[in-house]
Amino acid sequence: MASWLQQQAQKGRYVEAPQLSNDSNAGEIEDKISSANRRGNRRTTPTPLSAADIAADTADDVRAERPNQPRQAGNEKLYEAYNELHALAQVFEKPFDAPAILVVGHQTDGKSALVEALMGFQFNSVGGGTKTRRPITLHMKYNPSCVQPACYLVTEELQEREMGLEELQDYIEAENSRLEVEEKFLSKEIVVKIEYKYSPNLTIIDTPGLISAAPGKKNGTLQGYSRQVESMVRGKMEQQEYIILCLEDTNDWSNATTRQLVMQVDPNLTRTVLVSTKFDTRIPQFARGSDVEMFLKPANLGCDSMLGGGPFFTSVPSGRVGTGKDAVFKTNEFFRDAVIERETQDVTEIEGKMGRRLDKTERSHIGVSQLRRFLEQLLQRRYLENVPTIVPVLDKEYRNAQARYESTREEMTGLAPDRLKEKGRSFVEAFLSKLQLILRGTVTAPPEKFGETLVDEHMRGGSFVGPAEKAVTVPENLPNAHMRLFGGAQFHRAMAEFRLAIGQMQCPDITREEIANACGVDDFHDGVNYMRTACVIAVTKSREIFEPFIHQLGARLSHVLRRLLPIAIYLLQRDGQFPSGHEVFLKRISTAFHSFIEEVEKSCKSRCLEDLHSTTRYVTWSLHTKNQKSLKAMLTKVRMPDVRSHALPEDRKDVNASADAGSNTIVDLLETTLWNRSLSVTSEEIVGALVCQIFESIRDHVVQAAELKFNCFFLMPVVDSFPSKLREDLEVAYDENDLDEVFDVAAVRATLEGRMRSLQSEVKQVEKIQRKFASIHTTLAQQQAFLAAASIPGDVSSKAHVDSTMMSLTDSAAVASAAAPAPAPAPVVKTVPAAPPAKALQAPPVPRTTTEDTALKAAPTSKVPPLGLGVMNALSKFNQVNQPVGGAEPVK
């Protein structure tokens, strides 16, 4: 350490004395610093180094000088217990988890570089782009004996597999490559344990970088990746035990994109630490000291509720460690020195811009070392505060795992033929019951998981598309369009959309060319029959337009009914009626259900198409016009020409020509509508009116008939025909096939045996962690009893009690493990008494001094502070006499 101080003094730097604990080491370090500064022979303005820089670099020397710190030994047990708890939660997908630092940021925010700076070495697992497809959990542990990082991969069996750094990198890259080929992201974490003399005691979860995808169809793939990553990260952030480390690479806090996503989960940033990365690139952009002040202390972030009281500012020098020509740092030691050098330069440049020294609060938020110290202390405090709540959670989880183990063992005994048949019949009846329930209506299935809005339904089941591939507009009065529906409610909404959207469709425009081509030539004369022309056009248009809608309606309603299957399975699993492991049997049920849906859809569409063809095969005017009144009302819309004004010659226009004019009008009208192929306005409008009349009549008939037939011949068979058919198919399968073909007994037995082994491993792991937390909690409860004595003024024995309590954390776990009964051999798991709840955990009787007895008798009604507060009070007293791990300041 002295040599390092001499080197700093020779470089012309003035080294400040670190504000360490009030003990002998602090004075010794201060003497070394003063001596080094005197030997430095400074000739220029010194570059100040703060206490944080010294503490970060001299942490190893402090530990070496005091290798047997009681608090350090106790914390190791605490860290170990929480690391195992986190691994348990990840492997067995538990709803609880251990406190950890969740790193969230976009791809270009310098996320991986900051994680490496916190670790103390370059991990070099960055793939760039979308190559990182699984989160990586890094359980970092300070180990002074590890000169090089010791890496361990935590396997699915919760075993630690030692790997070299390059081997671990290859494993992570192979896993990311596999997921890249499958085009998906996986939320299950790769858990890695790292021991290193320069690593802090931290658990960091490095998530894949958020993706900012550009709009447009050509970026559709990247947009899909962006949604997957955002969904994964959001799910991680919703874990209340996690501390969110939100990284921003911005010079304008109002445009912080990552913080916007974080605030959707943590609106007040009460469990979020905000970090501005690449701070060294921000500093040159500040023109005035006021600009620096505004950036360091932003007014619109709500810093009062934010963890740390404000954002942190970090800089990590670019470049990789290695021996190649592109390498910037020869070893990780050079990398760590560069990180410290960069932090020192940042402080110097900021102070130069501001024209003053940074105060203690401002300095504590600048640099990787400050962030590292804060996170380590924060995580340690969360560990201690969560101990009382973890004990009952583990107790409940232990009982649940044992119950699942016993249930699986009972399933193993139920593989006899008669019991399998009865189980199959019971499952079929339960499945049919759930189908009926979902169609009739229920709230037992969560709509956020199984419901679909109308937009979702269009995307997955198809929308109604008219001529020219143009989607039919959804009526504004369609009820529940924006609600997430399933089952009978969704079926009814789909039918209502068909009725409203198709039932209001107008007749398409008729062109003059279509009328002229539809006239044709009769087999007896060459006159024009515009009645036939109107029928030809109306029938053809109706068949072309409405037939696709019938197919689209069948596909949509099939989608709605097929969704009944996963909802029914969910309800059966929730009620404990699902025969897990019987994949072959379940596949048979699923195949039968989907085949029945396909069959009734085909049958119902055939009926509807037959009805459409009969309606458009022959036009019955009494059906389409209803009566003469409606036909007259339709024809009154036609503009009749003024024949007298242009059809009669000039010499016949006299006052006595009125009688001749009437007969000439009829002749001219017949000429323009019967045998004259020069299409006039009158003929065009008459044909158009007739076509619209026939089209609308066919439309109304098709909509009514389709709704009636899909209700009677599609929905009702699922209700009354499918149950009997499924029961009959099951009995036929029992009689005609080997039972192993129906249930695949060998595969079921193998699945159940594998589940039993997994549950047995889970029970053992929970039991092991349960013992550790119970012993730690017992020790903390004992410490709580000592707090009253520790707070008595002038009692010299209180310090010894607190010290001995913290030291006992080291031995309590070992004692508890040795005293606990050994686990029972497979396959039977021995029931181990659950850990007592937090309230019942009392400290063992400890001999008290005369002073303690006097104080307790004098204040018999005094209340012991809550455990969380008691732990912090003890840490405060303990910090006065013990240097924290990693050279950090005492926990505040």
Side-chain angles (χ1 to χ4, degrees):
M1 175 176 174
S3 60
W4 183 89
L5 295 171
Q6 293 172 5
Q7 293 173 4
Q8 300 303 313
Q10 291 171 1
K11 292 178 181 179
R13 293 199 181 109
Y14 177 76
V15 185
E16 294 182 349
Q19 301 297 323
L20 301 176
S21 304
N22 297 325
D23 58 6
S24 58
N25 282 337
E28 181 181 352
I29 294 175
E30 189 170 347
D31 293 340
K32 293 179 179 179
I33 294 173
S34 301
S35 176
N37 287 331
R38 286 193 301 269
R39 292 192 297 267
N41 190 18
R42 300 183 304 277
R43 299 179 181 177
T44 58
T45 302
T47 301
L49 274 178
S50 67
D53 300 320
I54 301 299
D57 274 88
T58 58
D60 297 327
D61 301 275
V62 174
R63 291 190 181 100
E65 292 173 277
R66 306 175 60 183
N68 298 319
Q69 297 183 45
R71 181 181 167 199
Q72 175 185 328
N75 282 340
E76 288 180 357
K77 296 297 180 181
L78 194 65
Y79 297 144
E80 181 182 352
Y82 272 108
N83 289 347
E84 292 181 5
L85 179 67
H86 179 80
L88 175 77
Q90 289 300 311
V91 172
F92 295 105
E93 299 181 354
K94 298 299 180 183
F96 57 85
D97 210 326
I101 308 298
L102 183 72
V103 184
V104 178
H106 281 74
Q107 287 182 345
T108 59
D109 287 346
K111 181 169 57 68
S112 298
L114 179 60
V115 171
E116 290 177 339
L118 292 172
M119 295 170 62
F121 68 96
Q122 290 191 351
F123 191 57
N124 199 24
S125 62
V126 185
T130 59
K131 293 186 178 299
T132 303
R133 295 181 173 257
R134 281 186 67 178
I136 302 176
T137 297
L138 303 169
H139 290 305
M140 293 180 284
K141 179 182 178 182
Y142 165 73
N143 189 340
S145 63
C146 291
V147 181
Q148 296 297 329
C151 303
Y152 304 87
L153 176 68
V154 179
T155 64
E156 296 289 336
E157 295 78 19
L158 294 179
Q159 302 296 322
E160 295 180 0
R161 174 185 166 192
E162 186 172 3
M163 285 185 171
L165 190 57
E166 293 184 359
E167 184 183 1
L168 181 60
Q169 292 167 359
D170 293 340
Y171 173 84
I172 295 175
E173 291 177 2
E175 183 66 11
N176 287 327
S177 299
R178 179 183 66 84
L179 294 174
E180 186 177 10
V181 172
E182 298 176 3
E183 295 186 351
K184 67 179 182 180
F185 292 79
L186 191 62
S187 61
K188 194 171 184 179
E189 302 163 9
I190 299 175
V191 183
V192 178
K193 180 180 177 182
I194 297 175
E195 297 184 7
Y196 190 35
K197 68 178 297 184
Y198 296 106
S199 290
N201 289 308
L202 279 180
T203 294
I204 291 181
I205 304 174
D206 187 13
T207 62
L210 297 169
I211 303 171
S212 299
K217 292 183 178 180
K218 64 179 181 179
N219 299 312
T221 302
L222 198 61
Q223 293 168 6
Y225 290 161
S226 176
R227 289 190 293 269
Q228 289 187 56
V229 175
E230 183 174 328
S231 176
M232 176 203 301
V233 173
R234 185 192 299 271
K236 294 290 183 182
M237 290 192 297
E238 289 174 352
Q239 186 66 256
Q240 294 299 315
E241 289 85 355
Y242 290 166
I243 300 165
I244 304 172
L245 193 66
C246 175
L247 308 188
E248 294 284 5
D249 177 16
T250 180
N251 55 4
D252 184 3
W253 287 115
S254 61
N255 295 327
T257 55
T258 306
R259 191 177 80 252
Q260 294 175 1
L261 175 63
V262 171
M263 293 183 68
Q264 296 178 15
V265 179
D266 184 20
N268 298 322
L269 302 177
T270 54
R271 55 187 185 91
T272 299
V273 179
L274 187 60
V275 180
S276 173
T277 58
K278 304 180 183 179
F279 187 51
D280 53 335
T281 63
R282 306 276 95 80
I283 298 176
Q285 302 176 16
F286 299 132
R288 300 179 301 274
S290 58
D291 296 338
V292 181
E293 297 277 0
M294 292 178 60
F295 190 73
L296 295 183
K297 300 178 181 179
N300 57 345
L301 293 185
C303 296
D304 295 338
S305 59
M306 184 191 307
L307 282 180
F312 285 78
F313 306 89
T314 63
S315 301
V316 179
S318 59
R320 307 305 300 173
V321 173
T323 57
K325 61 179 181 179
D326 296 331
V328 177
F329 311 108
K330 293 183 179 179
T331 63
N332 284 308
E333 183 177 359
F334 285 92
F335 171 66
R336 290 191 299 272
D337 291 342
V339 172
I340 297 174
E341 183 74 19
R342 183 66 261 173
E343 181 175 334
T344 303
Q345 293 177 9
D346 288 349
V347 172
T348 303
E349 293 176 10
I350 283 295
E351 290 179 344
K353 294 275 187 180
M354 300 175 67
R356 63 175 178 84
R357 296 292 299 272
L358 297 173
D359 59 33
K360 184 176 180 180
T361 302
E362 293 170 338
R363 180 63 186 90
S364 65
H365 284 71
I366 297 179
V368 174
S369 66
Q370 301 295 332
L371 175 64
R372 169 173 160 166
R373 178 179 297 107
F374 174 80
L375 294 178
E376 190 173 7
Q377 295 174 7
L378 178 62
L379 194 61
Q380 176 182 274
R381 184 164 67 247
R382 292 292 176 88
Y383 280 172
L384 292 170
E385 291 173 350
N386 285 7
V387 168
T389 61
I390 290 295
V391 173
V393 167
L394 288 174
D395 177 40
K396 178 181 178 181
E397 197 60 35
Y398 181 82
R399 294 195 303 269
N400 291 341
Q402 276 195 322
R404 293 198 306 273
Y405 181 87
E406 294 298 330
S407 175
T408 305
R409 190 169 60 176
E410 290 181 4
E411 286 189 49
M412 285 284 292
T413 62
L415 295 181
D418 293 340
R419 297 189 64 175
L420 280 177
K421 290 182 179 180
E422 188 60 32
K423 182 185 292 186
R425 296 187 184 100
S426 299
F427 174 77
V428 166
E429 295 303 322
F431 172 68
L432 295 174
S433 175
K434 298 302 182 186
L435 289 182
Q436 303 288 336
L437 177 65
I438 299 168
L439 284 174
R440 290 197 302 267
T442 180
V443 295
T444 52
E448 61 274 8
K449 183 176 182 179
F450 295 106
E452 285 184 339
T453 63
L454 191 61
V455 175
D456 297 332
E457 188 176 325
H458 285 175
M459 293 177 60
R460 298 164 186 166
S463 58
F464 295 117
V465 180
E469 299 299 324
K470 184 178 181 181
V472 178
T473 304
V474 178
E476 295 181 357
N477 58 342
L478 180 64
N480 304 326
H482 302 291
M483 293 188 179
R484 295 173 292 189
L485 304 181
F486 58 84
Q490 188 178 8
F491 187 93
H492 181 272
R493 183 179 64 186
M495 287 299 309
E497 182 189 0
F498 176 81
R499 183 192 325 116
L500 295 175
I502 310 304
Q504 298 176 3
M505 180 173 291
Q506 299 298 319
C507 178
D509 296 333
I510 309 301
T511 65
R512 296 172 61 87
E513 291 179 345
E514 288 177 328
I515 297 176
N517 283 292
C519 289
V521 177
D522 203 346
D523 53 352
F524 286 102
H525 61 87
D526 62 351
V528 182
N529 186 350
Y530 284 115
M531 296 289 285
R532 181 186 181 280
T533 300
C535 292
V536 170
I537 296 175
V539 166
T540 305
K541 293 285 185 182
S542 299
R543 186 181 295 120
E544 291 177 351
I545 291 176
F546 295 125
E547 183 172 345
F549 285 135
I550 293 177
H551 290 285
Q552 294 168 15
L553 179 62
R556 173 79 73 82
L557 296 180
S558 294
H559 164 73
V560 172
L561 292 186
R562 283 193 176 95
R563 296 185 65 246
L564 300 178
L565 181 63
I567 302 175
I569 295 298
Y570 167 81
L571 296 179
L572 291 169
Q573 290 175 331
R574 187 202 60 179
D575 297 340
Q577 299 175 305
F578 186 77
S580 57
H582 296 273
E583 281 77 12
V584 174
F585 178 73
L586 295 175
K587 185 177 180 181
R588 178 181 291 271
I589 300 296
S590 175
T591 302
F593 179 74
H594 288 297
S595 298
F596 185 82
I597 295 296
E598 184 178 355
E599 179 183 343
V600 293
E601 177 196 355
K602 183 177 179 180
S603 174
C604 185
K605 287 195 302 184
S606 177
R607 293 173 183 267
C608 292
L609 293 174
E610 181 180 357
D611 193 69
L612 174 63
H613 291 162
S614 64
T615 307
T616 56
R617 177 68 177 82
Y618 186 80
V619 176
T620 304
W621 286 102
S622 60
L623 297 177
H624 296 309
T625 59
K626 305 297 181 185
N627 50 52
Q628 291 184 357
K629 183 178 180 181
S630 62
L631 182 59
K632 290 180 180 180
M634 178 267 298
L635 292 176
T636 54
K637 302 177 183 179
V638 179
R639 294 173 296 173
M640 299 300 295
D642 187 3
V643 182
R644 289 172 297 177
S645 62
H646 63 277
L648 297 178
E650 291 293 335
D651 57 355
R652 297 176 59 185
K653 291 182 179 180
D654 52 68
V655 293
N656 298 321
S658 58
D660 295 336
S663 59
N664 289 333
T665 300
I666 296 175
V667 173
D668 290 340
L669 181 62
L670 291 174
E671 182 180 358
T672 57
T673 58
L674 292 183
W675 56 77
N676 189 352
R677 290 181 179 268
S678 297
L679 191 62
S680 65
V681 175
T682 302
S683 301
E684 183 179 356
E685 292 189 352
I686 290 177
V687 172
L690 290 172
V691 170
C692 289
Q693 180 75 11
I694 300 171
F695 179 87
E696 292 175 1
S697 177
I698 295 175
R699 176 199 65 193
D700 295 340
H701 177 78
V702 168
V703 170
Q704 295 174 4
E707 184 172 6
L708 181 64
K709 285 180 170 57
F710 272 98
N711 283 331
C712 295
F713 301 109
F714 187 50
L715 176 62
M716 295 311 297
V718 177
V719 176
D720 50 32
S721 300
F722 176 68
S724 58
K725 186 176 186 305
L726 182 60
R727 296 187 187 102
E728 181 181 352
D729 290 347
L730 182 63
E731 295 301 328
V732 170
Y734 284 166
D735 296 336
E736 295 181 355
N737 300 320
D738 184 9
L739 200 60
D740 192 59
E741 297 181 6
V742 179
F743 289 97
D744 195 2
V745 180
V748 173
R749 181 175 284 106
T751 300
L752 293 178
E753 290 175 351
R755 191 195 308 168
M756 288 183 66
R757 288 191 297 269
S758 176
L759 286 171
Q760 185 179 20
S761 174
E762 180 180 346
V763 169
K764 290 181 179 179
Q765 293 296 330
V766 173
E767 177 188 357
K768 175 183 175 182
I769 300 174
Q770 186 185 28
R771 289 200 207 103
K772 290 188 176 182
F773 275 97
S775 63
I776 292 173
H777 185 239
T778 301
T779 304
L780 294 178
Q782 183 182 22
Q783 174 195 5
Q784 187 179 18
F786 290 153
L787 286 176
S791 61
I792 299 175
D795 186 4
V796 297
S797 63
S798 61
K799 174 179 177 296
H801 281 310
V802 175
D803 289 348
S804 63
T805 302
M806 297 301 293
M807 292 177 64
S808 65
L809 279 173
T810 306
D811 303 324
S812 57
V815 173
S817 299
V828 180
V829 176
K830 182 178 179 180
T831 303
V832 179
K839 186 176 180 180
L841 285 175
Q842 301 295 335
V846 179
R848 293 194 298 268
T849 63
T850 305
T851 306
E852 293 173 0
D853 289 331
T854 304
L856 292 175
K857 291 178 181 179
T861 60
S862 61
K863 296 183 178 180
V864 179
L867 182 57
L869 180 60
V871 171
M872 299 313 299
N873 289 340
L875 284 175
S876 178
K877 292 178 176 294
F878 185 75
N879 280 326
Q880 296 178 5
V881 294
N882 292 278
Q883 170 65 20
V885 178
E889 295 178 359
V891 178
K892 298 181 180 179

